Each structure stands twice: as structure tokens, then as C-alpha cells.
Amino acid sequence: MTTRDRSDACPGAVQTHRAADGQLARVRVPGGLLSAAQVQVLAGSAVELADGALELTSRGNLQLRGLAPDAPAELARRLFGAGLLPSEAHETARNVVASVLSGRSGGLLDVRPLVRAFDAGLVADPALAELPGRFLVTVDDGRGDVTGLGGDVGLHAVAADAVALTLAGTDSGLRAAPADAHTLALDAARAFLAERTAQGSQAWRLAELTDGVGAVAVRLAGHPVPGDRPAPGTGPVVGATEQVDGLVALVGLVPLGRLTAPALDVLVQVTAALGSEIQVTPWRSVVVPDLPDEFVDDVATALHHAGLVFDAASPWAQVTACAGLPGCAKSRADVRADAAHAVATGTLPVAGPQHWAGCERRCGRPAGSTDVLAVEDGYRIGAG
Ligand code: SF4
């Protein structure tokens, strides 16, 4: 059992974090889906209230950095108006990642209604506001992209008419019809809180409880089926994907997870023109779906000129980084600038996925990455 002596301090949009470059706000985006109107509000807020960019997090949420001391109140007002802050009390509890492109391409089931139903049930229950900010819910349509991300509670489609409940990556043995699966996941979240109270714990994650999987499963009358933990998914293929309806989804990598003002401008224009949405992913990419074939090249070109990458062989596909200087006072280096320089000059220190970090905390490090850790006199590779 991992012992915690305090609640987690994950930032939210109202409960902001004071960083070295100003207030940092994190906006939860259950399932990663944003309407055209929401894209417009977020882009405007990034430019007018923050440092001009939206950051994608490893849980498919969004961050605004460099907010002035009085900006969070205005940001909260805008987010509330756009439906991005349905409950202030639940703001840090709404951590839901879902299969990318679900309902558009691949998968056994369209999980978008399931995500909406789960989120609505979450914010309707005052008790679930107590979920820690680190508590993660995954909703996988069967393609296996998000179940491996280590969700505390997970729904995983095993057939078009059956969804399995996972607890900390272990099959609980419980199944539900798609229409009822959100209820099962909500019950699992409540069971986690009840078990945490029974153990006198302040655990942030289900696996931190003593026999968390077994204890929560018993509360739900489940029988865990231990097996290999699923591997983390790799995210959608970069480039153009044909949807089942004949339209096209474009998937672009966002270097260092920063959607800068030019890219936001293109996303606002495209979604407004088509009345469409976008999906942000836990792999720091963004999906622009529902494009008629004749628009694909123009949109891809505009986004490419704005900094997005559509080539899976690009070195950017291998590089992630924490905030570093100047955003984080703990950092020993401006890791983002150094990583960008290494990409531009073809001098990345290792082949394959690598995470550049300014200190040993290695924030945002994806599983399986090699560490490129800033030290006093440069960088240490593969530091343990
Ligand atoms: S890894 Fe260290 S330097 Fe980087 S953001 Fe986290 S605390 Fe800051």
C-alpha cells in the first residue's frame, strides 16, 4: 500500500497552480472532444489571457500557462459559458480518456455516448467530487488504445454489445451492456471512495489501496481475473484516415504538446466553417475529423505551416518534454528549447521515444521513454 499524507494538488481551471511563469490552469476535456464553439473559447482565452498557446497533457487535457493573477476568474467565466466547467466542485475529478476516432473509424463500439453519460453522472453526484485529481477513467472501444494507460477504472468493449470493467488494469470479471456501462463505472468510482474511507487512506490511485483491485471488486460483486496488463497504446496513426462515413480525419502531431496561436487560428477557422469538432489525444496529437475529401490537403497544409507534423517518421514523433524553464522553477534547463534545437539540428541524443525533463520528477513522462534528464553540466541519458 502506498501511504499518502495529503490530498493530491492537481491543478484545475479554478484551482490554478502558481508556476514560475504565472498561474497555470488545467481544463478537463472528457474524451478529448471539443466543439467548434469550445475551440474558439479556448483559443481566445489562450491568446487573450495566457501565453498564447494551449498545452496538451498526457491525459488528453489542456493547460493554459502564464495567466495573470486576475485572469483565472475571467477564464472560469468563459469556460463555464462554453460548457467546459459544468461543476466547479468536480473540476479536477473529470479525468476521462477515450478511444481516439471512436464512432468514426475502427473499434467495436462508439463510446462517445458512454463518455458523455459517465461525465454527466459524475458531476451529478456531489460525493464523486472527492475523487482525487490523479484518478483516471479510461473508455476503450475495443481497439486497445487507452486501456493500457493505467486507468483506475476502465471500460473496455469486448463486443458490440458487451463492455468489461477493469480496475487498475485488471479485468474485474464484470460486464455490462453499452447502455449501462457508465453506471457500472460510476459505481466503481464510488466503491473506490468507500474502500479508501474504510482503509483510513488518502490514496490517489486505486492500486495504492491494500488489495485495491480485490477490495473494490468485492464491493461490486465482481471476481477479478488476473492477467497481463495491457500495453500502453500508441495513439492514432499520423496523417489522413478515412472514416466509415467516407469523410476524412486528419491526425497531426503537436510538437512538445504546444498548440500555438497560428495552429489555434487554423483550428478555429476549420471547425467554424464546417461546424465540426476536434479531438485532443493523450499522445499529444490533435484530430480534425469529418473533413470532406476536397478540403483535406488545404487543411493539412495550413496546419503544417502552423507547426503541426503529419509525418510519422518525423523526429518530433519521438520527443516529449516537461515544462522546464522558464515555466518551472525546479528545472535546470530550458528543456523544450534544447529539445527543439536537437530536432532542428538532427542531434537528438538517442533513437526512439525520449522524454526531456528538467529535474528528477520527469513530469509527463510517457511509459517506455528514455530519460534525457537535465543535470548541472548538461544532460544525462537514460538516468534511473
Ligand atoms: S520534471 Fe521537474 S523541471 Fe520538469 S516540470 Fe516537472 S518539476 Fe518542473
Side-chain angles (χ1 to χ4, degrees), residues 65 321-325 327-333 335 355-364 373:
R65 304 191 72 93
C322 77
L325 289 174
C328 179
K330 292 191 176 71
S331 185
R332 301 185 186 100
V335 291
H355 185 67
W356 292 57
C359 80
E360 285 73 7
R361 287 184 64 180
R362 304 178 181 99
C363 298
L373 178 65

Side-chain angles (χ1 to χ4, degrees), residues 285-312:
S285 57
V286 63
V287 183
V288 184
D290 303 339
L291 293 170
D293 203 38
E294 63 269 26
F295 292 165
V296 173
D297 285 348
D298 286 349
V299 173
T301 299
L303 286 171
H304 176 64
H305 286 151
L308 267 64
V309 173
F310 293 94
D311 175 9

